[in-house]
Amino acid sequence: MMLRMRAVDMVEDAGFTAVEAINADDALAILESRSDIELLFTDIQMPGSMDGLKLAYAVHERWPLIKIILVSGQLKLTDNDKPVDSRFFGKPLDVKQMIAELQDMIGNGALKIAKDVAALIATAPHPESNGKAIRPGSPGSTQEFLTAENDSLRLLLEQAGIDAKVLLAQAGIDAKERETADKLQKLILEELHHRIKNTLATVSAIASQSLRTATSIEHGQHAIEGRLVALGRAHDLLLQARWANASLEHTIRGATEPYVSIGSGRISIQGPDIRITSGAVIALAMTLNELCTNTTKFGALSEPAGRIEIVWKIDETAQRLHLTWSEKNGPTVHAPSRQSFGTRLIGTLGQQLKGAVKLAYDATGFVYVLNVPMASLVAPA
């Protein structure tokens, strides 16, 4: 979800209008219904009935004039692996390079961009710069730091492989068993490397999106810190559940406890506990963090008598979950004049889980409603 929002910003910063698809099936449906799509920008590891590479071949065969950009943090493609004239880039993506590639492939866009994120980041003080701006690519820049981190990670993974072979030899494991163990270790290390690269890309997206709508560097810093802490809490919960299905009730409690204690009388949660998938845990935790942050600043929790009610139920007939966040006894609320990143993030959750999100700024308090199919929350038996 975060990486898709990041891709949308790259497209818009290049001067074009982005049309989002949550998976390959959705992308094909959009292409069949429109004739104004000029370029497909897809991650190879995308969800759906086919991955991004198969989607690219399907699009190239049916719509040969549509240009294609493929990205991946796990695979490396040669010219023989991808459709003719398509372009491939490994993660993490360089924002300026991607904007230049988009414009090179389909020309300069007509949209007027209000804020240049790259310029904002370039003029932001670095923690070790004594208040001076550090430009990307210069000594001490974020790009240099991430490059050093990736080199360190590579060395650690190589050393882990060497250590494992020594231990296996000392244990007297025969060659066939050692070969099997080597293959298993290689698979685990590749998955670890892929997850770390995706996490770095997600952190980059959070930072960029938060700075994009920040009114000041301090405001952007607080927003980034809050979202990264929320992401960390979600990962802690998944680690406890061994990255399998986690409890919906525990997810809600874990996301709200840092802002208001469950036993304080200022928040109530009620609904049947179910086990939800790792993707749903992270998306829901991030959304609840946004709701808690907003209510603490502007909503019910900004008033001594304010309180929050979180209620969910399952429609057994339709096999859907309905979750409602209601604020009571708070200040009068009004719809915002512009859509912030937090509001976009909350709304995108509905798309991510193939459901719908409604936001109501009622006189009695803000209300958030999530309506999603159970199939998007619960792993198949």
Side-chain angles (χ1 to χ4, degrees), residues 37 61 83 122 197 206 213 228 232-233 241 261 338:
I37 305 296
E61 182 178 352
K197 289 182 73 174
I206 288 175
T213 55
L228 293 183
R233 289 196 205 102
S261 173
R338 64 184 180 89

Side-chain angles (χ1 to χ4, degrees), residues 13-31:
D13 284 350
F16 306 103
T17 300
V19 181
E20 295 183 60
I22 61 174
N23 54 43
D25 303 312
D26 189 27
L28 290 174
I30 291 172
L31 288 167

Side-chain angles (χ1 to χ4, degrees), residues 54-330:
K54 291 180 180 177
L55 171 64
Y57 273 106
V59 170
H60 181 68
E61 182 178 352
R62 296 180 59 182
W63 299 281
L65 295 181
I66 292 181
K67 297 176 175 61
I68 297 171
I69 290 180
L70 290 155
V71 300
S72 176
Q74 187 172 7
L75 301 177
K76 292 183 178 179
L77 299 185
T78 65
D79 288 340
N80 294 329
D81 298 326
K82 56 187 178 63
V84 177
D85 295 332
S86 63
R87 300 187 187 183
F88 169 78
F89 301 94
K91 293 180 183 175
L93 302 178
D94 182 283
V95 178
K96 289 185 176 180
Q97 180 191 12
M98 293 310 301
I99 291 174
E101 293 287 346
L102 286 163
Q103 292 176 338
D104 180 60
M105 293 178 77
I106 51 180
N108 293 321
L111 296 181
K112 293 182 178 179
I113 307 305
K115 184 183 291 185
D116 183 357
V117 179
L120 180 58
I121 295 175
T123 56
H126 190 275
E128 300 178 359
S129 66
N130 297 321
K132 296 181 179 179
I134 295 181
R135 297 189 177 278
S138 63
S141 70
T142 302
Q143 183 177 351
E144 183 182 81
F145 172 76
L146 290 178
T147 300
E149 288 294 298
N150 282 337
D151 289 341
S152 298
L153 173 63
R154 177 178 53 79
L155 292 173
L156 285 173
L157 293 178
E158 290 176 355
Q159 185 60 49
I162 295 171
D163 292 343
K165 290 178 181 178
V166 172
L167 289 173
L168 288 170
Q170 291 174 348
I173 298 176
D174 63 35
K176 186 175 181 180
E177 291 177 327
R178 190 179 304 172
E179 182 182 359
T180 302
D182 285 344
K183 289 180 179 179
L184 177 60
Q185 184 196 41
K186 183 175 182 293
L187 179 64
I188 293 173
L189 292 178
E190 286 177 351
E191 177 61 21
L192 172 64
H193 190 58
H194 177 56
R195 284 180 182 261
I196 290 175
K197 289 182 73 174
N198 262 353
T199 299
L200 287 172
T202 301
V203 170
S204 174
I206 288 175
S208 176
Q209 292 278 358
S210 300
L211 289 173
R212 195 180 187 86
T213 55
T215 55
S216 66
I217 294 297
E218 183 180 7
H219 175 252
Q221 177 184 350
H222 290 320
I224 292 170
E225 289 175 351
R227 285 161 184 150
L228 293 183
V229 168
L231 185 62
R233 289 196 205 102
H235 278 268
D236 286 342
L237 182 63
L238 290 170
L239 182 62
Q240 295 170 15
R242 298 180 182 271
W243 273 86
N245 297 342
S247 162
L248 172 59
E249 181 178 341
H250 288 174
T251 300
I252 294 173
R253 286 178 178 272
T256 56
E257 276 282 7
Y259 298 89
V260 55
S261 173
I262 298 296
S264 66
R266 300 198 65 190
I267 184 170
S268 63
I269 63 174
Q270 181 179 1
D273 197 15
I274 57 173
R275 312 295 291 185
I276 59 177
T277 63
S278 59
V281 168
I282 293 175
L284 188 57
M286 294 292 289
T287 296
L288 289 169
N289 175 72
E290 295 296 325
L291 293 172
C292 287
T293 300
N294 290 339
T295 191
T296 301
K297 292 180 179 179
F298 314 111
L301 295 188
S302 67
E303 298 282 351
R307 57 189 305 273
I308 306 294
E309 292 181 0
I310 304 176
V311 180
W312 69 94
K313 61 182 180 179
I314 299 174
D315 184 338
E316 297 290 353
T317 303
Q319 280 297 294
R320 298 183 73 87
L321 179 131
H322 301 265
L323 183 146
T324 303
W325 160 295
S326 304
E327 301 187 16
K328 312 287 184 182
N329 303 328

